[in-house]
Amino acid sequence: MFKGTKNLKRAASLQVTIVLLAFLALLLFWGILYQSKVGVELATERFFDSYFIWVFDVIPLPGLYSLLVVSAIHLVLSMLYRIPRQKKSIGLYLMHFALLVLILGGLLGSFSRVSMKGYGLVGGEIPVVFEHSSDEYEVVLNDSLSVSLPPWGKLGAFQLGPYDFKIIKSCEEGSPIVKVEEDHKILKNASGFQGFECKSQKESVLFPGVILHIKHREFLHEEKVLLGLNERRPYVLTGGESLRLSNIREKMPFEIQVVSADQTGADVIIMSGRETFPRRIALNVPYKSSHYSIYFTSVIDSFDDQQIVLFQARKDFFDSVPYLFTILMLAGFAFHYLIFCPRKKS
């Protein structure tokens, strides 16, 4: 028992703190250097969203997750075995606890954080649509009714509004077919492709799509439709309803309408409850509200001379952790250096 306690005290020593700080500094330097060469996403995935970094695919080095877990354990041991248990150590306990909150909050936030992509038309009356950046998809009717699709390749049937849907074919990787044989019934979709074929090879063109047989229950009108994920404009059914295939959509507590946009940002109208107010979402200046952060990405021209504005969004329930960390750290400094700091005798 005594030997185990002695080992725990060693694990709480300042030498371990120095080693952890050195590893974190090396990881940060290496990750930023790698980011400048290959981009933010790949560098984040390899260095900062992983437990281990494989050098030459053989040698494992600790990634950010591993270092954060070890640092959290080290902080707990430091509070238990290294800091004296006395009144004047309250500030040190608060500062160590602030670091623990920051580390654990960052870990939990990275696991629960949801990334989304958004798009909207300049001057359009329809609010910006935000979709999850995941492999889950849904069929949306009139931008109001939706149903989640089964995994790729599985057939099924469902109903939306007055329509009966039957999945004829679906695949995650495919390529469009512009010409088909005359004896085949032409498939319709917004991009003008007449069909698509599934591909099993990874080097094929990524064209997630689904072929649907649609029947109106009242008018008994039938049509066959091909929906592709890369089509930003919906297909219009014979009855006038719009139909699209998209990632699972996020229901925001607010709505955003784009008024104007350029390459540096977008002027928008935010509608939250009964409040409506203008806002500028510029590059690196996001709009934040209700655990959501909305970032401007770019603006592109569509084929009918309309501008489409692209956004990135992030939902993070632990976004208040940095503020809590700051409050606890300042309180720790105040207790340690102002309240319980030993005063010199005059």
Side-chain angles (χ1 to χ4, degrees):
M1 184 69 178
F2 176 78
K3 185 176 180 180
T5 303
K6 190 175 181 180
N7 290 332
L8 290 176
K9 288 183 178 180
R10 288 179 179 176
S13 64
L14 284 174
Q15 288 84 350
V16 176
T17 305
I18 294 173
V19 172
L20 287 173
L21 290 176
F23 267 109
L24 286 170
L26 178 62
L27 182 70
L28 183 63
F29 173 78
W30 195 4
I32 293 177
L33 187 64
Y34 191 77
Q35 173 183 318
S36 64
K37 295 182 178 180
V38 301
V40 177
E41 293 184 1
L42 187 58
T44 301
E45 180 181 354
R46 181 174 181 182
F47 289 88
F48 307 121
D49 284 346
S50 60
Y51 287 97
F52 294 98
I53 303 168
W54 293 93
V55 182
F56 305 116
D57 294 329
V58 176
I59 305 173
L61 292 179
L64 183 61
Y65 285 170
S66 298
L67 291 176
L68 290 180
V69 171
V70 175
S71 298
I73 297 173
H74 176 66
L75 282 171
V76 173
L77 293 177
S78 298
M79 288 188 287
L80 292 176
Y81 295 106
R82 196 173 71 197
I83 303 176
R85 298 180 183 178
Q86 49 190 3
K87 187 178 180 180
K88 65 180 182 180
S89 299
I90 293 178
L92 292 176
Y93 277 105
L94 280 175
M95 286 186 280
H96 280 69
F97 183 70
L99 290 171
L100 187 63
V101 167
L102 182 64
I103 291 173
L104 294 180
L107 278 174
L108 295 175
S110 64
F111 296 145
S112 62
R113 191 176 297 124
V114 178
S115 297
M116 293 165 283
K117 54 188 177 182
Y119 56 91
L121 294 176
V122 173
E125 298 181 357
I126 300 177
V128 176
V129 174
F130 290 94
E131 302 173 351
H132 289 200
S133 301
S134 64
D135 295 330
E136 297 179 352
Y137 305 94
E138 63 181 0
V139 174
V140 184
L141 180 68
N142 278 345
D143 289 317
S144 58
L145 302 176
S146 63
V147 61
S148 299
L149 284 179
W152 292 112
K154 292 188 177 181
L155 305 180
F158 55 90
Q159 293 181 344
L160 276 178
Y163 292 95
D164 292 326
F165 293 81
K166 183 179 179 181
I167 300 176
I168 300 176
K169 189 178 184 181
S170 71
C171 66
E172 188 174 8
E173 289 190 5
S175 58
I177 304 172
V178 180
K179 296 181 180 180
V180 296
E181 297 179 7
E182 295 181 358
D183 57 343
H184 288 183
K185 187 174 182 180
I186 295 178
L187 303 174
K188 304 176 181 178
N189 73 331
S191 296
F193 295 121
Q194 297 175 335
F196 79 107
E197 58 180 355
C198 296
K199 295 288 187 181
S200 58
Q201 299 177 355
K202 292 298 182 181
E203 60 268 20
S204 64
V205 179
L206 186 63
F207 186 78
V210 57
I211 300 177
L212 299 173
H213 181 270
I214 306 173
K215 180 180 180 180
H216 196 290
R217 289 194 294 273
E218 182 178 352
F219 301 108
L220 303 180
H221 181 270
E222 299 182 20
E223 54 188 319
K224 190 184 292 185
V225 175
L226 165 65
L227 298 179
L229 186 67
N230 60 344
E231 299 164 7
R232 287 306 180 191
R233 293 193 169 277
Y235 173 77
V236 180
L237 296 169
T238 304
E241 297 89 346
S242 64
L243 191 68
R244 70 166 77 236
L245 174 67
S246 69
N247 289 105
I248 300 295
R249 294 191 174 189
E250 178 74 12
K251 296 181 180 179
M252 300 284 200
F254 52 85
E255 292 183 349
I256 300 176
Q257 288 186 351
V258 182
V259 178
S260 61
D262 52 40
Q263 296 301 324
T264 63
D267 295 310
V268 302
I269 298 295
I270 308 293
M271 294 168 286
S272 179
R274 297 182 179 180
E275 296 184 18
T276 301
F277 52 91
R279 188 67 182 265
R280 172 81 174 174
I281 304 179
L283 288 171
N284 301 321
V285 184
Y287 170 70
K288 296 184 177 182
S289 177
S290 304
H291 303 295
Y292 291 91
S293 299
I294 313 298
Y295 298 85
F296 169 81
T297 302
S298 63
V299 56
I300 58 177
D301 295 326
S302 65
F303 59 89
D304 54 356
D305 296 330
Q306 283 191 306
Q307 287 186 311
I308 301 176
V309 184
L310 304 181
F311 297 90
Q312 291 286 340
R314 185 179 65 187
K315 180 171 64 173
D316 187 1
F317 292 106
F318 294 88
D319 55 352
S320 60
V321 167
Y323 304 102
L324 180 59
F325 161 76
T326 303
I327 294 172
L328 291 173
M329 185 61 73
L330 291 176
F333 274 110
F335 272 99
H336 188 68
Y337 292 104
L338 299 179
I339 299 177
F340 295 116
C341 181
R343 300 178 180 177
K344 295 182 180 180
K345 296 182 179 180
S346 57

